[in-house]
Amino acid sequence: MTALPEGSFAAVASIETLVRAHQKSLAGKRSSRTATMSNYHFMSQILEIQHELTHGTYKPSPYRKRLITEPKVRRIEAPAFRDRVVHHALHSVISPFYERHFIYDSYACRPGKGIHRAMTRVQYFLRAIPDAYVCKIDISKYYGTVNHAKLKQLLARRIADQELLRVLDTIISSSHSGTEYDHLFPPDSHQRTKGSRGIPIGNLTSQIFANIYLHEADMYAKQVLKIRHYIRYMDDILLFSSDKKELHRWQRALTEFLYEDLYLTVNPRKVRVYPARMGVDFVGYVLYPHTRRVRASSVRRFRRRFNKKLQGLATGRTSVESVEASFRAWSAHARHGNGVALIENERKKMSDYVFVWSILRQHRRQLRKRRKREQLLLLDS
C-alpha cells in the first residue's frame, strides 16, 4: 500500500506553497476586510504561519458560524483567512496523492469531475442496462457525523509523515457537532457511542476528508459487493442493476458497512429502489437515458428567491445588476437540464420588471427635479 512519504510536511510549510495558497485563498475574497488586511501584511503573515506550522504551535482560529436555509437548513462554519491559507497548502499536497487512489465514479470536489460529468455517467449507465432499476442511498447529516477517531485512523493508513498528521489532527479536532444531531439517532447508535464527530462544511480540507472517509464505502462496493454500476456524489450514492432483488441485497450490505465500519447512518426515508424509467433524481436534475430536466423543487426554490429580488427591484432595494447576476447563474444551471423554455419564461418576467423599474426611476427623477425647481422659486420670491 503506497503512502504519502516523510517530508510531505516540509512541502506544505514551504514559502512557495504558502504563497500559492495565499493567492488561491484570495479568490472571491478580495473585497473582504480580513483578506484586504492579510494582503497588506502578506509576507509577515506567511512567515508567521510557517513559524507556527514548523514549531507545532499552529491552532485554528474560531469559526464564523451562520445558518443557510436553501436548499435545506445547514450550519456553515467559515474559517479565518489565515486558516484558509493553511487549508489550501494542505490540499495542494494531499489531494494529488489521494486522487491516484479514488475510484473513477466518485464525482464531488474533484478536479475534472463535478455535477455535469456525474450526470453524463448516470445516463451512460441507464443506456447500458436494459430495464434498469436504481437504488438511491443518502447518509443522514453526513458532514456532521463523520467520526474524528475513524477519520484520523484512515489518514494515518496512507500518510507516513507524523508532522503532517499532527496538523491534520489539529484541524479535525478544531470543530465538532457535539450533541447537535443526537435527537436524530438512538441513544445506543454509533454516532453517540464512538466519540466526537463532525467536520465543518465551510473548510476546504473537509471536502478531501469527506471523500477519503467515504472512499472506504466505494472500495467495499467495488471490491466486496462487486457492484459494476455504482456512482457517488459526496454522500449521495446510486446503484444500478436489472435485478431488483440484487439491489436490495446490495443496499442492506452497504448500509450495514456504513454503520459498523464508518459509524454512519443511512436515512431510511430517502432509500429508494425503483425503475429507472421513472427518472433518476440526482444532483439537482431528473435524468433519463437520452434527456434530462431540472428538478421541480429546484425550479420552485429559484422562483421564490427570484420573485423576492424582482419585488426588491420594484421598490429600489435591489439593483438590476444583482437581479441579472442571479438570473445568469440559474439559467446556466437550467440550460444543462433542457430548460430553454423555462429560461425564456423567466427572462420575460425579468424584462417586464426591469421595464417597470426604469419607468419608476425616470418618474422619481422628474419628481426630484420638480421639487428642486419649486424650492428655487420659493427662494427667489
Side-chain angles (χ1 to χ4, degrees):
M1 180 186 293
T2 58
L4 198 59
E6 295 282 351
S8 301
F9 176 74
V12 171
S14 70
I15 291 293
E16 294 80 3
T17 300
L18 291 173
V19 167
R20 286 195 298 269
H22 184 277
Q23 294 305 306
K24 289 179 181 177
S25 300
L26 285 173
K29 299 288 183 180
R30 292 182 184 272
S31 60
S32 71
R33 183 177 62 85
T34 53
T36 303
M37 291 176 62
S38 176
N39 211 22
Y40 184 74
H41 302 289
F42 165 63
M43 205 62 218
S44 61
Q45 187 174 72
I46 292 295
L47 292 172
E48 181 184 338
I49 292 171
Q50 185 188 49
H51 182 273
E52 291 180 12
L53 288 172
T54 54
H55 287 77
T57 59
Y58 169 74
K59 297 291 181 186
S61 303
Y63 291 93
R64 300 186 306 278
K65 301 178 182 180
R66 64 187 179 92
L67 286 178
I68 61 171
T69 57
E70 294 287 354
K72 57 185 177 182
V73 177
R74 288 184 296 178
R75 186 179 67 181
I76 303 296
E77 295 180 85
F81 184 82
R82 68 191 308 274
D83 295 324
R84 284 169 56 87
V85 174
V86 175
H87 297 168
H88 275 282
L90 289 166
H91 192 272
S92 67
V93 173
I94 296 171
S95 180
F97 169 76
Y98 275 100
E99 276 297 316
R100 301 198 297 268
H101 301 282
F102 290 153
I103 67 167
Y104 181 85
D105 285 319
S106 166
Y107 286 86
C109 307
R110 294 181 60 193
K113 298 291 185 175
I115 285 175
H116 302 132
R117 290 285 182 89
M119 291 161 56
T120 301
R121 186 65 167 168
V122 168
Q123 289 185 291
Y124 169 76
F125 286 167
L126 294 178
R127 292 192 295 270
I129 309 172
D131 302 321
Y133 287 88
V134 60
C135 174
K136 185 173 184 179
I137 296 174
D138 182 85
I139 297 168
S140 295
K141 303 297 179 184
Y142 175 52
Y143 274 85
T145 56
V146 169
N147 183 270
H148 286 186
K150 185 67 178 182
L151 176 57
K152 292 174 183 178
Q153 177 190 338
L154 294 176
L155 290 170
R157 280 188 198 172
R158 295 272 186 178
I159 298 176
D161 193 308
Q162 295 303 308
E163 288 184 287
L164 181 55
L165 281 174
R166 172 177 49 77
V167 176
L168 293 173
D169 288 356
T170 299
I171 291 173
I172 292 168
S173 300
S174 67
S175 175
H176 60 88
S177 57
T179 60
E180 182 178 359
Y181 302 116
D182 280 359
H183 65 285
L184 299 174
F185 307 105
D188 60 345
S189 69
H190 286 349
Q191 276 79 9
R192 296 200 188 194
T193 60
K194 296 294 183 178
S196 62
R197 66 247 186 219
I199 52 177
I201 295 177
N203 275 12
L204 177 64
T205 49
S206 293
Q207 297 176 5
I208 185 72
F209 289 160
N211 271 331
I212 291 169
Y213 203 81
L214 276 183
H215 176 66
E216 302 302 305
D218 297 340
M219 298 306 291
Y220 179 76
K222 287 292 187 180
Q223 295 184 345
V224 178
L225 299 180
K226 308 292 184 183
I227 305 175
R228 182 179 176 187
H229 298 99
Y230 168 99
I231 189 169
R232 179 174 65 81
Y233 191 91
M234 200 47 74
D235 60 327
D236 288 331
I237 300 171
L238 296 181
L239 320 174
F240 296 87
S241 176
S242 56
D243 187 340
K244 193 174 181 180
K245 291 181 180 179
E246 186 175 51
L247 278 180
H248 280 291
R249 180 172 58 82
W250 288 342
Q251 181 265 317
R252 287 192 296 269
L254 193 55
T255 298
E256 183 178 358
F257 175 84
L258 288 168
Y259 184 78
E260 295 296 339
D261 287 68
L262 298 179
Y263 317 141
L264 300 171
T265 297
V266 169
N267 189 335
R269 292 177 298 177
K270 294 186 178 180
V271 173
R272 295 180 60 202
V273 177
Y274 59 96
R277 66 175 181 274
M278 296 171 61
V280 178
D281 189 341
F282 192 55
V283 296
Y285 299 85
V286 179
L287 308 174
Y288 301 89
H290 300 282
T291 189
R292 57 183 71 159
R293 62 177 175 81
V294 184
R295 184 189 289 161
S297 59
S298 298
V299 177
R300 288 194 297 271
R301 281 196 302 271
F302 166 75
R303 282 178 171 161
R304 188 163 56 246
R305 293 194 308 269
F306 195 55
N307 287 339
K308 286 182 181 178
K309 279 187 173 289
L310 292 175
Q311 290 165 12
L313 180 64
T315 57
R317 289 181 289 105
T318 307
S319 66
V320 175
E321 292 76 15
S322 173
V323 172
E324 289 179 343
S326 177
F327 180 77
R328 283 196 302 271
W330 174 79
S331 60
H333 170 75
R335 193 168 286 112
H336 284 281
N338 297 332
V340 175
L342 192 62
I343 292 170
E344 290 306 315
N345 184 50
E346 296 301 317
R347 190 192 303 278
K348 183 178 182 303
K349 185 193 300 183
M350 181 179 70
S351 299
D352 291 343
Y353 268 89
V354 170
F355 174 75
V356 171
W357 171 81
S358 64
I359 297 296
L360 287 172
R361 186 175 61 171
Q362 291 177 11
H363 179 62
R364 292 189 191 107
R365 284 178 179 174
Q366 293 298 327
L367 284 176
R368 283 195 297 269
K369 288 179 180 179
R370 185 188 303 170
R371 290 193 190 104
K372 193 172 182 179
R373 283 197 302 269
E374 289 174 352
Q375 288 170 356
L376 289 172
L377 289 171
L378 286 170
L379 287 173
D380 290 342
S381 61

